[in-house]
Amino acid sequence: MQNTTTRPVVTVTADGWGVASHAGSRLLADLAEVTGLAAAFSDGLAGLRERRSRHDPGRVLVDVAVMLADGGETISDLAVLRDQPDLFGPVASTATAWRVLDSVDDVVLAGLRQARALARDRAWMARAELGRDVPAATAGGRELAGLVIDVDASLVTCHSEKESAAATFKGGFGYHPLLAFLDNTGEALAGLLRPGNAGSNTAADHITVTELALAQIPETDRYDRPILIRADGAGATRDWLRHLHGLRETNGLDLEFSVGFTMTKAVQAAIDALPRQAWTPAIEADGSVRHGADVAEITGLLDGLTAAGWPAAMRVIVRRERPHPGAQLCLFDQHHGLRYQAFATDTTHGQLAHLEARHRAHARVEDRIRCGKDTGIGRFPSRLFALNAAWLELALTGIDLLAWTQHLLLDGDLAKCEPKALRYRLLHAAARITRGQRKIFVRLAEHWHWARDLAAAFARLALIPHPLRN
């Protein structure tokens, strides 16, 4: 019988040599070296290294972060790097990685966070050296001045008993981490691992994550750029908003907030009291008119905000629009036939429509978290809470490595695509390893669509000098 397939017939064997997969992920490992992340991790974990140990604990954690950025899900996935020593060098065994992670306590975790801040400072300087500025966040068809930090929590399901895992408000079981992302670049600034029953609007946790996130921003950018912190309604607590407002007054930060506000009876009464001419059309993300949606300010109709403990300069703005099919409506919405959403901000100027579009852009953090769950946040490996907290910090590091790779080394669609697409196109590329002229060559397939993009990224990375060690 004649073979009718249009594909060439192949014979598969397992005896190849000089071949490497995941060649593009070497970018991540080299970027960790160039930014000083590996050295900073090593310095922070220097006291954990045992005599005659082969592997530096800091290097072990960098390899775990690279593995997570590459799409690994468990510590055993380090085998992908370990089995390719010609490409990644010596990589610790799974047991060694477990021991290093298990040794991370609160003091060491604080050291890892400081190391990430040092590496971020170096990455941002390298971006400037390459002639690239921190990209501007956008909303309502405009570029936003300065830096935009989005704070949000997410539920992570645990399928086995883990320390501090608990029932969640959605009926599941697991953890409830609180996260902070930089909207400008997609970098993961901070994360706080919490039990599944941790409150969504716990002010103390929001304050902690805010401080951790601000500490990650290089000092010159922290004080020389405007900073906007956004959150959904879970952030509408007096203590957190007063803390944010206090950072502006006492710490000299040019910081503002835009936070969802609860639809209380007082807010509903203020909406009912608004005259028809108080409403103005809302706008879409591109700046065009958002049909069927309007915005208005109700601050003057809410008595006693300051007396109730809210910041003195806080404004409350509300949006109304026709609900989409299937939208969940409260009794107030059903009575009016429109859906109402309010938010609070201490920004004193700007069109209401633009301020509302700026706040609505907070929804992008949902995509950050979704991608983060494919980069280590979505699955915690241990029954021990401290080890899982260390895992979360390394997952944030992996997200940073991806963001730095895109904003420092790539152009076009590759600089904007999601991690899944980046892995498919670049990181998981195959190559042949050859030696000659006292060098190791990573030879990509000439006909492969993204070969030149990956080669150019390595060439651009080579232009960044390595940090000096004392």
Side-chain angles (χ1 to χ4, degrees):
M1 181 179 294
Q2 185 176 2
N3 189 349
T4 60
T5 181
T6 59
R7 302 181 189 276
V9 178
V10 298
T11 301
V12 179
T13 65
D15 55 358
W17 60 273
V19 179
S21 63
H22 296 245
S25 295
R26 176 60 191 263
L27 266 180
L28 305 174
D30 286 353
L31 192 56
E33 297 285 343
V34 167
T35 58
L37 179 67
F41 271 12
S42 297
D43 292 342
L45 279 72
L48 302 180
R49 189 165 190 174
E50 301 176 359
R51 288 186 61 189
R52 298 190 301 275
S53 62
R54 179 185 178 190
H55 297 283
D56 175 14
R59 165 66 187 276
V60 172
L61 294 190
V62 167
D63 286 339
V64 173
V66 170
M67 177 267 294
L68 291 173
D70 189 51
E73 295 183 338
T74 66
I75 298 178
S76 60
D77 286 338
L78 271 176
V80 173
L81 310 185
R82 185 171 56 249
D83 293 343
Q84 302 184 89
D86 289 341
L87 187 62
F88 294 103
V91 176
S93 66
T94 300
T96 299
W98 269 108
R99 286 194 296 270
V100 174
L101 280 166
D102 191 36
S103 64
V104 178
D105 55 15
D106 289 342
V107 175
V108 176
L109 185 61
L112 294 181
R113 288 168 175 160
Q114 184 177 7
R116 290 184 58 228
L118 292 173
R120 193 181 318 280
D121 189 32
R122 176 61 183 151
W124 286 32
M125 285 193 297
R127 178 190 284 116
E129 291 170 0
L130 293 173
R132 300 183 172 206
D133 195 8
V134 176
T138 60
R142 304 181 192 176
E143 292 187 349
L144 304 180
L147 306 175
V148 180
I149 300 174
D150 287 311
V151 178
D152 199 14
S154 184
L155 300 176
V156 178
T157 300
C158 294
H159 298 283
S160 62
E161 291 290 339
K162 298 182 186 295
E163 184 182 1
S164 296
T168 68
F169 67 93
K170 288 190 175 181
F173 178 83
Y175 291 127
H176 192 190
L178 185 62
L179 307 164
F181 288 84
L182 184 65
D183 187 44
N184 303 66
T185 61
E187 294 172 64
L189 297 180
L192 182 65
L193 189 62
R194 307 185 300 167
N197 58 359
S200 297
N201 56 350
T202 304
D205 292 343
H206 280 78
I207 292 173
T208 298
V209 168
T210 299
E211 295 298 326
L212 292 175
L214 292 175
Q216 287 293 316
I217 299 175
E219 186 172 358
T220 54
D221 293 275
R222 194 187 319 152
Y223 288 96
D224 292 347
R225 294 176 184 259
I227 298 175
L228 174 68
I229 295 183
R230 297 186 299 207
D232 58 17
T237 59
R238 296 172 178 84
D239 290 343
W240 187 45
L241 297 189
R242 284 202 307 269
H243 177 79
L244 295 179
H245 194 65
L247 291 175
R248 182 184 183 94
E249 294 182 343
T250 61
N251 289 26
L253 296 177
D254 186 3
L255 187 147
E256 298 176 345
F257 62 78
S258 182
V259 177
F261 201 71
T262 307
M263 289 289 296
T264 62
K265 291 184 178 179
V267 172
Q268 295 173 1
I271 292 173
D272 283 335
L274 279 173
R276 180 178 300 178
Q277 61 269 24
W279 294 95
T280 61
I283 59 176
E284 297 281 6
D286 60 359
S288 61
V289 174
R290 187 178 179 93
H291 297 289
D294 303 289
V295 295
E297 183 171 357
I298 59 173
T299 309
L301 299 174
L302 294 174
D303 295 328
L305 283 176
T306 304
W310 298 102
M314 190 181 79
R315 306 166 64 189
V316 180
I317 300 169
V318 64
R319 171 172 59 93
R320 69 178 185 184
E321 70 177 324
R322 298 191 182 279
H324 60 79
Q328 294 182 352
L329 305 178
C330 65
L331 291 176
F332 182 76
D333 295 337
Q334 293 174 5
H335 174 70
H336 290 74
L338 298 170
R339 186 178 186 181
Y340 292 85
Q341 291 180 311
F343 71 97
T345 182
D346 60 348
T347 301
T348 58
H349 58 280
Q351 297 175 336
L352 294 182
H354 177 65
L355 295 179
E356 192 278 327
R358 185 188 69 170
H359 175 74
R360 197 172 352 116
H362 169 70
R364 283 196 290 260
V365 75
E366 299 292 342
D367 285 334
R368 312 287 190 201
I369 293 175
R370 173 177 55 81
C371 294
K373 288 186 175 181
D374 289 332
T375 315
I377 297 178
R379 181 177 298 184
F380 291 96
S382 176
R383 60 181 177 83
L384 300 176
F385 184 83
L387 194 149
N388 289 333
W391 180 269
L392 174 60
E393 202 65 32
L394 296 180
L396 301 180
T397 305
I399 296 170
D400 283 346
L401 288 174
L402 291 172
W404 296 341
T405 296
Q406 291 184 286
H407 290 284
L408 269 70
L409 308 177
L410 301 175
D411 295 304
D413 291 341
L414 291 175
K416 299 180 291 186
C417 66
E418 292 191 352
K420 183 177 180 180
L422 188 66
R423 292 168 188 143
Y424 182 80
R425 298 175 182 180
L426 283 194
L427 302 187
H428 295 175
R432 182 155 183 205
I433 308 295
T434 63
R435 288 176 171 82
Q437 307 170 24
R438 297 182 180 180
K439 298 179 181 179
I440 297 177
F441 293 89
V442 178
R443 301 191 181 277
L444 305 168
E446 182 180 8
H447 59 276
W448 179 54
H449 185 76
W450 294 282
R452 287 165 181 77
D453 295 293
L454 184 53
F458 275 104
R460 188 170 288 158
L461 181 62
L463 298 176
I464 305 175
H466 284 66
L468 299 176
R469 296 296 302 273
N470 294 329

